[in-house]
Amino acid sequence: MRVIVSGSLAYDRIMDFPGHFGDHILPKKIHQLNVSFNVSTFRQEFGGTAGNIAYGLRLLGVEPRIIARSGSDFGAYRTWLSRHRISQATIRTDLQATAAAHIITDQDDNQITGFFPGALGRSYGSFPKSLFTDVGLAIISPGNLVDMDRLPRELHKHQVLYFFDPGQVTTALSKATLLQGISGALGMFCNDYELAMIVSKTSLPLPQLRKRLELLIVTRGGAGSDVYAGGEQYRIPIVKPRRLVDPTGAGDAYRAGFIAGLLRGYSIETIGRFAATVAVHAVEQYGTQTYRFTSTTIRQRFNQAFGHTLE
């Protein structure tokens, strides 16, 4: 089964500062801030919402079809995708550099991030009809704002069911774009903070949102997630990590697991638990596309966590 994955492709350049930002910033001089931090580690990871979700789907045996723009420096990322048998046929290349996030984290887990949108700042352009052939599902994740506004109409026209996932760009999307994305969607992913923003911007309280969506999935970090479906609320616990290394990318892994579970025909509760099982692998590794599992090991982890066989 092919799944359209719209969103971003980005390099994550991650640095660790072996100290505390607060020890180097004078509150009375914040208007004249000029600081430099000597970092102890630097690593470059492959990321972006589209890349992360596509990676998880491919591990789960689903073929992703990425709608995103890469940049002139995409070579290393392209090699990575090829190595993991993820097609780049629908990725368009721009003359600008690929989007990049430069993240410095101190010992208190405070972060300073500089994000360069690069190629992400340009719309994907026209969507060829071939993009929508032999596709079973789609997800519109945070990416170019114009594409997020246009894609719901295109998917509806081609009768492709989709998930709307406004994520970290919720504040940048207009009320009209949010309402359009929600009203035509099979389901929506968001975390509890984003849900509050969506309710505020659309003036749709949770009961009305639930009526407009067959599936509403709200992730709550360490508190697990809630799946609203068919008038029911399913509380999904987390799978306890064997080691907590880096939560970045867990949400994208959860989305990949949820979509794959839905395509496999699992029950709603099992889908949520399966998504949580995929997500825990992400928090146990640095980076958003560095976790691994096989069909056997993911089933074993599910069985250990929930005490019954994954059917």
Side-chain angles (χ1 to χ4, degrees), residues 265-298:
Y266 296 152
S267 69
I268 295 299
E269 188 170 30
T270 300
I271 291 170
R273 291 181 172 190
F274 184 67
T277 307
V278 176
V280 75
H281 288 80
V283 305
E284 293 172 341
Q285 303 290 334
Y286 279 112
T288 57
Q289 297 180 33
T290 53
Y291 61 94
R292 302 279 191 281
F293 53 72
T294 65
S295 58
T296 299
T297 59
I298 194 75

Side-chain angles (χ1 to χ4, degrees), residues 1-5 50 53-67 84-90 130-131 133-139 256 259-260 263-264:
M1 184 72 76
R2 293 187 180 93
V3 171
I4 289 175
V5 183
I53 295 170
Y55 176 82
L57 287 172
R58 200 70 188 94
L59 280 183
L60 292 163
V62 179
E63 183 181 338
R65 185 173 284 176
I66 297 175
I67 297 180
H84 292 88
R85 298 178 296 114
I86 299 173
S87 172
Q88 301 109 58
T90 54
S130 59
L131 195 62
T133 57
D134 300 322
V135 169
L137 205 59
I139 178 169
I259 290 170
L263 292 174
R264 293 180 183 188

Side-chain angles (χ1 to χ4, degrees), residues 21 24 34 40 77 87 93 109 143 151 165-166 178 183 192 194 196-197 201 206 231-232 237 243 250 263 268 301:
F21 292 147
H24 302 268
N34 187 358
S40 58
Y77 204 150
S87 172
T93 303
D109 285 334
L151 259 176
D165 177 22
L178 284 171
S183 297
D192 45 359
E194 292 158 359
M197 287 194 295
K201 289 195 73 169
L206 180 58
E232 300 292 332
R243 57 172 189 161
L263 292 174
I268 295 299
R301 192 71 182 271

Side-chain angles (χ1 to χ4, degrees), residues 19 80 93 103 138 171 185 194 211 235-236 256 259 264-265 283 300 309 311:
W80 171 263
T93 303
I103 307 165
T171 54
E194 292 158 359
K211 287 181 180 179
R235 301 300 302 268
I236 309 298
I259 290 170
R264 293 180 183 188
V283 305
Q300 289 174 342
T309 303
E311 299 293 350

Side-chain angles (χ1 to χ4, degrees), residues 210 214-216 226-235 268:
R210 291 178 61 177
E214 289 189 36
L215 294 165
L216 173 61
D226 291 325
V227 179
Y228 299 94
E232 300 292 332
Q233 178 181 359
Y234 300 85
R235 301 300 302 268
I268 295 299

Side-chain angles (χ1 to χ4, degrees), residues 76-156:
Y77 204 150
R78 190 176 296 280
T79 299
W80 171 263
L81 293 176
S82 296
R83 188 184 307 160
H84 292 88
R85 298 178 296 114
I86 299 173
S87 172
Q88 301 109 58
T90 54
I91 297 173
R92 290 181 175 167
T93 303
D94 196 82
L95 294 176
Q96 290 199 65
T98 303
H102 298 78
I103 307 165
I104 305 176
T105 306
D106 75 356
Q107 289 187 325
D108 295 321
D109 285 334
N110 295 313
Q111 290 186 329
I112 297 174
T113 301
F115 183 74
F116 172 66
L120 180 62
R122 187 179 172 197
S123 170
Y124 188 81
S126 61
F127 301 111
K129 288 183 180 180
S130 59
L131 195 62
F132 305 97
T133 57
D134 300 322
V135 169
L137 205 59
I139 178 169
I140 303 172
S141 62
N144 180 274
L145 301 184
V146 175
D147 293 339
M148 294 183 73
D149 181 70
R150 294 169 58 226
L151 259 176
R153 291 189 294 271
E154 288 291 322
L155 291 166
H156 178 72

Side-chain angles (χ1 to χ4, degrees), residues 195 199 203-213 216 228 231:
L195 176 62
V199 167
S203 302
L204 291 175
L206 180 58
Q208 289 191 36
L209 277 174
R210 291 178 61 177
K211 287 181 180 179
R212 294 193 178 207
L213 296 158
L216 173 61
Y228 299 94

